[in-house]
Amino acid sequence: MRDVAIVAYIEGQNTAATSQTPVEMIVPVIHEILKRANVERSDIDFWCHGSCDYMTGQPFSFVSAVDALGAWPPIMESHVEMDGAWALYEAWVKIQTGEAETALVFGNGKSSAGDMNRALTLQLDPYVVAPLWPGFRALEAMGARAAIEAGTVTERQMAEVVSRSLRDASDNPNVLAYGYRDPDELLDEPMTANPLRAHDCPAMADGVSAMIMTTADRALEMCDRPAWIRGIDHRIDFQNLGLRDLGRSNSAALAAFHAGVTKDKVDVAELHATHSHHEVILAQSMGIDRSTTRMMPSGGALVANPLMAAGLARFGQAARQIFKGNADRAVAHAAQGACLQQNIVAVLEGN
Amino acid sequence: MADDILRIRTPIGIDYTWSSGPGSVGYMRGLENGKLLGRRCPVCELVYFPPRNGVCPRCGVLLADEVEVGPRGTITTFCVVNVPFLGQTIKIPYVAATILLDGADIGMQHLIQECEAADVRMGMRVEPVWRDKSLWTPSLENIMYYKPSDEPDADFDVYARHL
Amino acid sequence: MAPLRLFYPYDRTVGSTVGRFLTSLANKKIEGTRGLDGIVHVPPAEFDPATGAPLTEWVVVGNAGEVLTWSWQPEPFADNTLQQPFAWALIRLDGADTPMLHAVRVGSEKDMASGMRVRAVWADEPTPSITTIMCFEPEHGHG
Ligand SMILES: [Zn+2]
């Protein structure tokens, strides 16, 4: 295995609704990330992008996204119809195979382009599930109830997750929801998709996240304290919700095991928990002790959820904790699909 | 019981709010007023019309100054459409051409009319035929088609770099 | 800014397993497949989830069953079978081991509970579609 590190991470400004096109959103972020790592376009030998056409409302939008990269002379580029975290995985594999030394990974989403709750129906089985148009919130809400009734998550835990996330978000200028809310006060709010309350669901955003990864030869030139990827794995569960125990995530558990999460203490975890109950389920499944690990110092995906960028943002935010010396060992996680169907987990270390 | 069904219709309709982005506002406002406004790349200085996404894909930078181009231009390449297809609104055969507007560096596609398909050629000079002004919208559809402008053909060297 | 509607008129081949399931639905019969471990899957699994072996043993199950988990949809989408506030539920039909997703028609969310019994309500016009079950309803009337 080659030693590969995240050396720079940038987020575009998260907004509730931008008038910019996806390309216009991406261009300044690419400039900024190159500047941050102090590299030229020509230093990047692999570009990898995560986004979803159904969300931008523009078929083949990933092709036009190349317009943002300055692909002249032609570049080595790839795209995943997934969150940018899976683009990171492809880039990591590309570097492991020796085909690339330095990769730029980015994810972008424009949640304001339409009703994403409804549009995400399209990630479900197209024969006997999607024709019912359940949307994704209904499924996450059913998952929450299954977890609550199984006793693996309590409504109070959910409120505590939200309270902490909003408080942490107050220190992060790039969020859409923040503030000081007592868990008791949150529990008094009405349910909007029983058993979920509005604050249990993510603040949808338009946004971009981008990072640069490189090998040991160059990492220290680009970053004082790179975040070394010591383990990474991704796993997927059945699509059929009826075959899964919604109170846990088997694929997150397996990915965490193979990434080596429990081999040592975890200082910080940035989990892609788009709904409050996810954090509790994920931590339990992955073997993370929430009482000793600093959970989502950025505020997490609850306070800013730019689709297809929010998962990569967890990797970037975890890496930032290493860059700043706040953590020696951090866990980054991203999820896709209904009720935590697919999970990617990495362990990042400062040494 | 009837035979098992083999296919199902699962139509999917998704509603979006489409934004052409601030980088294209000048272009569309121009069209609304009968003007063709492109934009210049601050790095390579190429002039794009339309200034799609307000970005130079070659340099990966946002486009800068607005530049009025055309309205006349030169056919750099073309094809004669003989194939009928669903939704076709123009009588075949007709010519779809790439037109390099005067002052622009990137060709754009449009329809050629008011001449025989067989007479269309590379280097041919053309001019736009606009829709009635009362029908103008912020769209390139304000130009119904291009027709020969009866100028001498452009030299190959003039558009050789733009093929 | 302008409204834009993308419409994809997908015409899907469904294969023999889903095809039989949908054909049976059009005849107001719900059936599933039995996995190699004996588990009855409704909707049918085409292949055994553990081994990938094709599943060919069919089992007719009941039109009624038990709600395992549910959530509340306060505002329906235009394409939902119910055009009023309703519940989504994972419903394990009698004779099945895996639950299926469907809508449950009740007066309010107070009428919903995990473990409650619900029965299929068929659409007036039978079609080979999951939506030919219009929804489920509590077995003994509302609430
Ligand atoms: Zn340029």
Side-chain angles (χ1 to χ4, degrees):
Chain A
M1 285 285 194
R2 306 179 82 188
D3 287 331
V4 176
I6 299 169
V7 292
Y9 174 67
I10 293 286
E11 289 175 8
Q13 185 64 46
N14 284 317
T15 60
T18 178
S19 64
Q20 291 181 315
T21 65
V23 172
E24 288 170 334
M25 291 167 70
I26 295 166
V27 168
V29 176
I30 299 289
H31 284 246
E32 192 63 31
I33 188 81
L34 293 169
K35 204 156 61 176
R36 179 63 58 97
N38 197 24
V39 296
E40 303 288 328
R41 265 169 227 279
S42 53
D43 292 315
I44 305 297
D45 41 26
F46 183 59
W47 305 68
C48 203
H49 177 203
S51 71
C52 177
D53 286 354
Y54 274 135
M55 289 165 195
T56 46
Q58 191 184 358
F60 298 98
S61 64
F62 61 90
V63 177
S64 64
V66 175
D67 284 0
L69 309 182
W72 186 262
I75 57 175
M76 197 198 304
E77 185 266 355
S78 186
H79 174 265
V80 293
E81 198 75 6
M82 295 282 281
D83 186 283
W86 275 262
L88 173 150
Y89 188 82
E90 183 175 339
W92 180 82
V93 170
K94 200 84 168 173
I95 295 173
Q96 289 301 335
T97 60
E99 285 188 38
E101 300 297 313
T102 303
L104 191 155
V105 176
F106 65 107
N108 74 293
K110 198 169 164 180
S111 310
S112 71
D115 182 349
M116 291 303 125
N117 181 24
R118 180 173 169 278
L120 282 166
T121 295
L122 301 177
Q123 67 186 334
L124 304 169
D125 164 89
Y127 308 105
V128 296
V129 179
L132 296 167
W133 288 93
F136 83 100
R137 181 150 308 143
L139 303 183
E140 299 305 343
M142 283 199 309
R145 183 181 310 283
I148 290 166
E149 292 183 351
T152 48
V153 178
T154 66
E155 288 190 56
R156 169 152 292 274
Q157 282 177 319
M158 290 163 66
E160 285 166 355
V161 165
V162 174
S163 175
R164 191 207 64 229
S165 300
L166 290 171
R167 192 177 62 233
D168 287 334
S170 304
D171 297 326
N172 179 351
N174 203 19
V175 298
L176 279 92
Y178 58 92
Y180 296 87
R181 302 287 304 278
D182 194 64
D184 288 322
E185 190 187 324
L186 293 168
L187 286 169
D188 283 341
E189 298 264 328
M191 290 180 183
T192 46
N194 189 334
L196 298 180
R197 297 171 169 85
H199 54 247
D200 292 312
C201 304
M204 302 301 278
D206 298 348
V208 184
S209 46
M211 67 171 54
I212 291 179
M213 300 157 67
T214 193
T215 55
D217 294 341
R218 297 208 56 194
L220 288 166
E221 293 168 22
M222 298 186 204
C223 182
D224 295 338
R225 193 167 196 258
W228 298 99
I229 299 173
R230 296 303 185 201
I232 186 166
D233 194 58
H234 70 96
R235 301 279 162 157
I236 186 166
D237 271 297
F238 300 123
Q239 188 180 39
N240 183 350
L241 295 179
L243 286 174
R244 287 157 52 189
D245 172 359
L246 300 181
R248 60 176 278 114
S249 173
N250 288 319
S251 56
L254 210 51
F257 174 77
H258 286 280
V261 168
T262 53
K263 281 185 192 162
D264 204 344
K265 72 180 173 61
V266 178
D267 299 324
V268 166
E270 278 281 348
L271 311 183
H272 188 195
T274 56
H275 292 72
S276 59
H277 64 286
H278 287 172
E279 176 182 315
V280 184
I281 292 175
L282 285 167
Q284 284 170 359
S285 299
M286 293 167 65
I288 293 172
D289 180 350
R290 296 196 307 132
S291 66
T292 57
T293 294
R294 177 77 168 94
M295 302 300 291
M296 276 81 109
S298 68
L302 273 176
V303 296
N305 187 31
L307 287 168
M308 303 297 137
L312 183 63
R314 306 283 65 80
F315 283 69
Q317 292 289 357
R320 274 188 183 168
Q321 294 299 320
I322 304 270
F323 297 163
K324 288 193 280 191
N326 293 349
D328 292 324
R329 194 164 187 271
V331 169
H333 158 272
Q336 294 269 269
C339 301
L340 303 169
Q341 185 197 358
Q342 308 178 51
N343 294 276
I344 181 167
V345 178
V347 172
L348 309 179
E349 290 181 359
N351 301 302
Chain B
M1 194 203 285
D3 286 345
D4 287 354
I5 68 118
L6 300 173
R7 315 176 74 88
I8 55 170
R9 285 265 154 87
T10 56
I12 287 167
I14 309 271
D15 294 301
Y16 299 95
T17 302
W18 176 254
S19 169
S20 56
S24 301
V25 169
Y27 160 79
M28 294 198 298
R29 288 277 171 254
L31 286 167
E32 214 170 22
N33 297 300
K35 275 196 170 144
L36 306 180
L37 296 179
R39 292 178 72 191
R40 193 188 307 277
C41 171
V43 179
C44 68
E45 303 199 327
L46 293 182
V47 173
Y48 288 83
F49 181 90
R52 194 177 63 146
N53 280 314
V55 69
C56 174
R58 190 185 167 105
C59 305
V61 298
L62 297 178
L63 296 173
D65 304 340
E66 241 160 38
V67 181
E68 187 165 357
V69 299
R72 292 189 172 184
T74 302
I75 293 179
T76 58
T77 182
F78 65 96
C79 74
V80 181
V81 179
N82 278 299
V83 185
F85 56 86
L86 195 69
Q88 200 167 43
T89 53
I90 310 153
K91 200 161 110 327
I92 55 173
Y94 64 87
V95 174
T98 298
I99 300 163
L100 184 67
L101 294 177
D102 297 344
D105 291 292
I106 309 294
M108 61 135 192
Q109 275 70 48
H110 221 300
L111 181 68
I112 307 296
Q113 299 269 273
E114 293 193 30
C115 71
E116 292 298 322
D119 293 337
V120 175
R121 56 201 179 274
M122 289 170 72
M124 187 180 201
R125 297 281 298 161
V126 291
E127 65 185 18
V129 177
W130 294 80
R131 215 177 277 286
D132 186 90
K133 200 169 177 174
S134 64
L135 301 174
W136 283 359
T137 63
S139 156
L140 198 53
E141 288 177 6
N142 292 354
I143 296 176
M144 291 189 289
Y145 53 85
Y146 277 75
K147 66 171 187 182
S149 63
D150 299 327
E151 297 163 82
D153 284 5
D155 282 340
F156 181 69
D157 292 346
V158 174
Y159 59 89
R161 271 193 325 116
H162 304 282
L163 286 173
Chain C
M1 299 277 193
L4 168 74
R5 169 158 256 247
L6 292 186
F7 185 76
Y8 306 92
Y10 291 131
D11 189 9
R12 296 180 192 277
T13 52
V14 293
S16 56
T17 305
V18 175
R20 172 162 169 175
F21 174 68
L22 296 176
T23 306
S24 295
L25 281 185
N27 292 289
K28 298 193 180 181
K29 185 169 81 174
I30 307 175
E31 53 180 349
T33 52
R34 192 187 298 281
L36 300 185
D37 49 4
I39 294 274
V40 175
H41 296 268
V42 179
E46 296 167 286
F47 300 94
D48 188 66
T51 65
L55 299 183
T56 54
E57 186 189 341
W58 286 83
V59 180
V60 176
V61 299
N63 289 357
E66 182 192 350
V67 169
L68 299 191
T69 181
W70 61 275
S71 63
W72 190 247
Q73 178 96 3
E75 285 175 43
F77 301 127
D79 358 46
N80 290 142
T81 54
L82 295 177
Q83 289 302 301
Q84 68 206 58
F86 67 94
W88 290 105
L90 287 178
I91 300 159
R92 185 170 57 209
L93 294 172
D94 299 337
D97 293 295
T98 66
M100 68 185 250
L101 178 77
H102 221 298
V104 179
R105 182 165 63 193
V106 284
S108 91
E109 54 198 299
K110 293 188 183 63
D111 301 328
M112 287 300 300
S114 297
M116 72 191 282
R117 302 252 331 146
V118 291
R119 176 169 291 279
V121 178
W122 300 92
D124 295 339
E125 288 286 318
T127 52
S129 163
I130 190 71
T131 58
T132 206
I133 300 175
M134 184 174 69
C135 63
F136 283 76
E137 271 185 346
E139 243 190 333
H140 305 294
H142 285 201

